[in-house]
């Protein structure tokens, strides 16, 4: 049997009418903020105090969108007769989000936990040149980084915390011994 002329058009209009009568599920974005998962990849935040200017993030970035400038400072010796040390001081840390592909390699390779994912996603600019964010802006996003998820109750404590706790207990025991034996001189 041959198809009736215009039956395709009638089916299409029927689908359109059915869809028009249903309630929409679209959220109107600026008016209603979306519910984001807790560890959403939005923008990269910088914790400046942890950055040692090792440049691993900039070297490993496949897009070369991280710009770091630094200078060396001499730190005087802590003890007399000791040797002066030099350390890197961060002058500029910028990420060009126009180039960034949000792969997270920079965050993974950072050995000092200076970079984190922030769930902030509203950083649009009218000029593409304004998408290069300097360390001041990256520092602001650091405060929006959610706390890491809690450890499993049965998991063992991280070795850093165990070592710090042992050192603190040892120091407390030494101080307790000193207070228990008044009048004796401190051998150290």
């Amino acid at each position: 049997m041959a198809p009736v002329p215009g039956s395709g058009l009638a089916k299409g209009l029927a689908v359109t009418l059915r869809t028009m009568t249903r309630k929409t599920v679209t959220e109107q974005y600026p008016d209603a903020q979306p519910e984001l998962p807790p560890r959403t990849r939005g923008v990269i935040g910088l914790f400046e105090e942890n950055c040692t200017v090792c440049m691993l993030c900039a070297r490993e970035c496949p897009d070369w969108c991280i710009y770091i400038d630094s200078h060396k400072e001499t730190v005087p010796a802590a003890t007399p007769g000791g040797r002066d040390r030099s350390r890197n001081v961060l002058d500029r840390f910028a990420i060009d989000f126009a180039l960034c592909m949000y792969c997270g390699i920079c965050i993974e390779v950072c050995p000092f936990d200076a970079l984190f994912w922030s769930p902030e996603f509203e950083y649009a600019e009218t000029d593409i040149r304004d998408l290069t964010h300097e360390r001041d802006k990256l520092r602001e996003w650091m405060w929006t980084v959610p706390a890491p998820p809690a450890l499993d109750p049965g998991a063992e404590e991280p070795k850093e915390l165990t070592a710090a706790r042992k050192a603190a207990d040892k120091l407390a025991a030494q101080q307790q011994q000193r207070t228990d034996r008044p009048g004796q001189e401190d051998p150290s």
Side-chain angles (χ1 to χ4, degrees), residues 165-187:
R165 188 167 288 117
K166 283 182 184 177
D169 291 344
K170 184 177 177 182
L171 183 64
Q174 287 175 351
Q175 288 177 346
Q176 183 64 32
Q177 285 177 351
R178 288 183 194 143
T179 57
D180 288 346
R181 294 184 270 160
Q184 291 184 357
E185 296 216 5
D186 189 13

Side-chain angles (χ1 to χ4, degrees), residues 110-121:
C110 182
F112 302 104
D113 289 333
L115 297 173
F116 294 89
W117 282 118
S118 168
E120 291 293 315
F121 62 93

Side-chain angles (χ1 to χ4, degrees), residues 53-67:
V53 196
C54 66
M55 306 284 259
L56 276 174
C57 55
R59 280 192 302 235
E60 296 296 324
C61 179
D63 292 332
W64 293 65
C65 65
I66 300 175
Y67 310 109

Side-chain angles (χ1 to χ4, degrees), residues 85-106:
R85 304 277 180 181
S86 67
R87 67 180 181 107
N88 288 327
V89 178
L90 185 65
D91 291 330
R92 179 181 186 226
F93 193 104
I95 299 177
D96 187 353
F97 287 106
L99 296 175
C100 183
M101 66 179 181
Y102 304 92
C103 64
I105 292 174
C106 57

Side-chain angles (χ1 to χ4, degrees), residues 65-84:
C65 65
I66 300 175
Y67 310 109
I68 300 174
D69 292 330
S70 68
H71 69 275
K72 289 205 181 277
E73 247 181 31
T74 303
V75 179
T79 59
R83 166 170 90 98
D84 291 345

